Amino acid sequence: AQSVSQHNHHVILSEAASLELGCNYSYGGTVNLFWYVQYPGQHLQLLLKYFSGDPLVKGIKGFEAEFIKSKFSFNLRKPSVQWSDTAEYFCAVNARGNNRLAFGKGNQVVVIP
Amino acid sequence: GAVVSQHPSWVICKSGTSVKIECRSLDFQATTMFWYRQFPKQSLMLMATSNEGSKATYEQGVEKDKFLINHASLTLSTLTVTSAHPEDSSFYICSARGRAGPTDTQYFGPGTRLTVL
């Protein structure tokens, strides 16, 4: 079964700083990759997803993620964060053709104005 | 985007009672719905997958007689926690996926906070 690891559970940074959240998965086959965001008091929302094609995926709110197959990674980036990006970010993976979506433990990101 | 609702958003019940949580896809037909459980400061753990009109598929370690799932229509799935105990207290989240199947996105509900006294 696939598993997902996210490091640095708590991230604190100032506005305008750059953000990068790591995501690594363990599965040898073809995968679909997702980043979800959960703002305080709200439900999970999809930031971006990768199924195939260009490994650099652009999502909403200026986020992007790059799939590096050789590293089994799908890191999330944003060049300049805002206070409103304070949220919890979850990486998720499912094996192609499999229903199960495996989540990482999440990154709690706090942006200080 | 697609909207998934859950009801109730929170519930407090006595030990031994049963609690039903509803999950609805409001503007799309969800052929597959998923139920997750989230513990504080931990990730979402998939409990079961349900396809409309068929029995749910439970993940290993999840008691199907305790967590009853019904997916009677393309827009509604219910999770019933039977004879709830304090250890069942948790945040339960559903998600729904449309007809495109595994290549489609899962849309998540806002979650239901269950507290069993």
Side-chain angles (χ1 to χ4, degrees), chain A residues 20-55:
Chain A
E20 179 159 2
L21 301 176
C23 172
N24 290 92
Y25 65 93
S26 63
Y27 182 71
T30 306
V31 293
N32 300 322
L33 300 151
F34 307 81
W35 274 98
Y36 285 88
V37 60
Q38 189 170 26
Y39 297 105
Q42 296 189 29
H43 60 279
L44 282 166
Q45 299 172 44
L46 182 68
L47 261 185
L48 47 77
K49 62 185 178 183
Y50 172 81
F51 287 162
S52 63
D54 189 344

Side-chain angles (χ1 to χ4, degrees), chain B residues 52-114:
Chain B
E52 184 263 339
S54 60
K55 288 184 179 179
T57 302
Y58 290 81
E59 294 298 300
Q60 194 171 13
V62 178
E63 298 175 59
K64 61 182 181 181
D65 294 330
K66 180 159 189 69
F67 298 101
L68 300 178
I69 291 171
N70 185 290
H71 191 165
S73 77
L74 285 171
T75 59
L76 173 65
S77 175
T78 59
L79 167 68
T80 301
V81 183
T82 61
S83 186
H85 290 284
E87 58 266 27
D88 299 323
S89 298
S90 191
F91 196 54
Y92 293 88
I93 303 172
C94 76
S95 70
R97 191 177 68 197
R99 291 183 177 277
T103 59
D104 210 337
T105 301
Q106 286 188 35
Y107 295 95
F108 286 81
T112 297
R113 173 77 58 194
L114 170 63

Side-chain angles (χ1 to χ4, degrees), chain A residues 5 15 25 28 36-37 44-45 47 60 62-63 65 71 75 78-79 82-85 89-91 97 99 103-105:
Chain A
S5 60
E15 274 193 318
Y25 65 93
Y36 285 88
V37 60
L44 282 166
Q45 299 172 44
L47 261 185
I60 60 171
F63 284 91
K71 295 184 178 181
N75 293 354
K78 183 168 182 177
Q82 300 172 310
W83 173 78
S84 57
D85 293 321
Y89 294 82
F90 292 94
C91 180
N99 276 326
F103 280 84
K105 291 190 174 182

Side-chain angles (χ1 to χ4, degrees), chain A residues 8 11 19-23 35 74-77 89 107 109:
Chain A
N8 302 322
V11 177
L19 172 69
E20 179 159 2
L21 301 176
C23 172
W35 274 98
F74 190 55
N75 293 354
L76 180 71
R77 296 192 293 256
Y89 294 82
N107 295 106
V109 175

